[in-house]
Every structure is written in C-alpha cells, then in structure tokens.
Amino acid sequence: MTGAATSDDSNGRRNNIGQGKKKINIARIENKSQRMVSFSKRKSSLLKNVSEFQKLTGLEVGAVVFSPAGQMYTSMNNNGGPSSFDIIVDRILQVGDPTIQLQ
C-alpha cells in the first residue's frame, strides 16, 4: 500500500482512513458576502456541469438559476437547432399535453 493510513474494522476488513470527500453540513450561509461568493462559485459549476452533461449524453438539457437579487442565469443547449429560453419553456408547457409529439 502506498502511504494510505489503514485500520481494521470489527469484521477484519481494512478501511482506508482519510480518503474520499468530507461530508459537509448543508445549511444556509448566514454571512451575506460569503453566501454570494458561494452562490457565484456553485452557479458556475452547475452551469458548466449542465453543458458537460449535454455534450456527453446528447440530450436536450437546460438549467435556470435565479440570484438573490432576482437575476436569471440560464444554460441551454440547442443540439444544432435554435437556442432560446422561450423555446425551452414552450416545450416544458407542452409536456402535459399528450397529443403533442416531442422528439
């Protein structure tokens, strides 16, 4: 083994200690400036992941994020067609109508 700390559990299995992501407590950030920094970083990451998901799967994917100030941020793909938030909203509204054929 290469430098990883290990221990034996009660069943004799070896556990790697100190590896993996730490679990964080998800709670509202009370400090406004820290909250805005977190929003900005997480928004960027979310929109990037939406784009990557679309590229990997070829699916039509969109995300809408509203800032605390009410600013809207979107990430939409077009799969070679017109890209517009209004087109995506129209598709969402049509899903409830079984007579409309979606591709």
Side-chain angles (χ1 to χ4, degrees):
M1 206 170 256
T2 59
T6 60
S7 70
D8 292 333
D9 68 9
S10 62
N11 296 325
R13 293 182 301 227
R14 299 195 93 181
N15 292 327
N16 290 334
I17 299 173
Q19 294 187 0
K21 292 184 178 181
K22 288 184 178 180
K23 185 169 182 169
I24 61 169
N25 184 24
I26 302 296
R28 179 180 168 86
I29 300 170
E30 296 302 325
N31 182 297
K32 186 175 181 176
S33 63
Q34 289 177 349
R35 189 168 56 243
M36 292 306 295
V37 168
S38 180
F39 169 79
S40 178
K41 288 179 180 181
R42 288 177 178 259
K43 173 190 60 92
S44 298
S45 178
L46 173 68
L47 298 179
K48 179 182 172 187
N49 286 335
V50 166
S51 177
E52 290 174 358
F53 182 69
Q54 184 276 324
K55 288 175 186 174
L56 290 171
T57 63
L59 299 173
E60 294 186 54
V61 182
V64 180
V65 178
F66 289 94
S67 73
Q71 177 70 34
M72 181 176 70
Y73 300 91
T74 62
S75 176
M76 306 290 170
N77 68 74
N78 57 12
N79 284 342
S83 178
S84 167
F85 182 71
D86 292 335
I87 292 171
I88 299 296
V89 170
D90 288 343
R91 289 209 48 195
I92 292 168
L93 295 174
Q94 292 172 358
V95 169
D97 187 344
T99 63
I100 297 174
Q101 186 79 22
L102 298 178
Q103 297 179 6

